[in-house]
Amino acid sequence: MTATHESAAEPAIASAEPQPAPGATPPRRPLVARAGAELVGTAALVAVVIGSGIQATELTKDVGVQLLANSLATVFGLGVLILLLGPVSGAHFNPVVTLAEWWTGRRGGAGVTIREAAVYVPSQIVGAIAGAILADAMFGEPLVEWSTHARSAGHLLLGEVVATAGLILLIFGLARTDQLRFAPVAVASYIGAAYWFTSSTSFANPAVTIGRTFSDTFAGIAPGSVAGFIGMQLIGGVVGLALVALIFTHGRDADE
C-alpha cells in the first residue's frame, strides 16, 4: 500500500519541478568543455581532409577522382561533427566563424564573448595541427613534413574570399531565419560544393589552413601561401557579414 502511494506521488513531485520553456536555449556548457569540443572537432575535420586526400592518391592517379573522394569524405565527416558537437560549442571549427559570431553579438546579443573567442581560436589551431599529425601517422607519413604545395596565385586568393563569404552568409543566414537545425546538412553540402566551384578548393578556414601546412600531401598548402589565404579568408568573413546585414535585415521596408 505504501509503495503504491509512493509511486503515485512520484509524477506529482516530478511535475512540480521547474521545466524549461519549449524552444528555450539550453544551458551553456563550461568553457573548458566547449574548448575541448572545438579542439577535437577541428582535429577530426583536418584528419578527415588530409587522411582522405592521402587515401585517394594511393588508390588512383586521376586527380578528378582524388578530389571527388576528398570532397565526399569531407562532406560526410563535417556533417557528423557539426551534428555531434554543435550542441556543445556551436561547432565553429573555424576562427572566422568564431570572430564573426563575436562581432555580431558584441553588444550583448547571443554569441561568444571576446574571452571565449580568445579560448576558441587557439583550441581550433591546436586541434588542426594535431589532426594533420594524426592523419600523417595513420598513413605512415612523416609526422611533420612541411607542404610544398604552393597556392599563392591571385585567382586562388579570390576563390578563398568567395568560399569564406559564402560560408558566413550561409551560417548567419540560417541563424537569422531560425533554421540552424539544418546546419549539419547545409554547411557540409556547401563545403562539398565549394570544393568544386572555387579555384582554391575552399579552405575557408584559417585553422585548417595552418594545419594543412604540416602535411606534404594532396591536401597540403605551403607555409609561404598561408598568410595570403588567411588574409583573404578574413576579408571573405567581412564580406559575408555585410551580405547577411544586407539580405537578412530586420528593419522595416522603406516603402512602409
Side-chain angles (χ1 to χ4, degrees), residues 129-217:
I129 295 170
I133 294 173
L134 175 61
D136 287 338
M138 287 193 294
F139 287 92
E141 301 286 338
L143 296 186
V144 176
E145 185 176 23
W146 299 116
S147 176
T148 56
H149 192 166
R151 301 175 187 261
S152 56
H155 66 283
L156 300 180
L157 298 178
L158 176 60
E160 279 302 287
V161 174
V162 172
T164 312
L167 178 63
I168 295 300
L169 175 61
L170 171 62
I171 293 172
F172 288 86
L174 290 174
R176 289 285 182 94
T177 55
D178 195 26
Q179 298 186 89
L180 277 176
R181 62 190 179 279
F182 299 117
V185 172
V187 174
S189 298
Y190 172 79
I191 292 298
Y195 257 84
W196 291 90
F197 80 75
T198 65
S199 55
S200 63
T201 66
S202 183
F203 283 44
N205 185 328
V208 169
T209 302
I210 292 171
R212 287 167 71 165
T213 65
F214 284 74
S215 181
D216 191 20
T217 57

Side-chain angles (χ1 to χ4, degrees), residues 27-42 81 84-93 112 115-116 119-121 123-124:
R28 301 194 80 181
R29 303 296 179 96
L31 183 56
V32 65
R34 286 181 278 144
E38 287 297 302
L39 189 153
V40 170
T42 312
L81 289 170
L84 175 65
L85 299 175
V88 179
S89 67
H92 296 187
F93 313 147
V112 297
R115 172 176 171 270
E116 291 168 333
V119 174
Y120 269 41
V121 172
S123 298
Q124 293 158 354

Side-chain angles (χ1 to χ4, degrees), residues 4 10 22 31 46 65 94 101 107 113-114 136 148 153 160 165-166 181 204 209 214 217 223 235-236 240 249:
T4 304
E10 285 174 2
L31 183 56
V46 173
V65 176
N94 187 333
E101 185 171 306
R107 294 178 180 174
T113 65
I114 189 63
D136 287 338
T148 56
E160 279 302 287
R181 62 190 179 279
T209 302
F214 284 74
T217 57
I235 291 173
T249 180

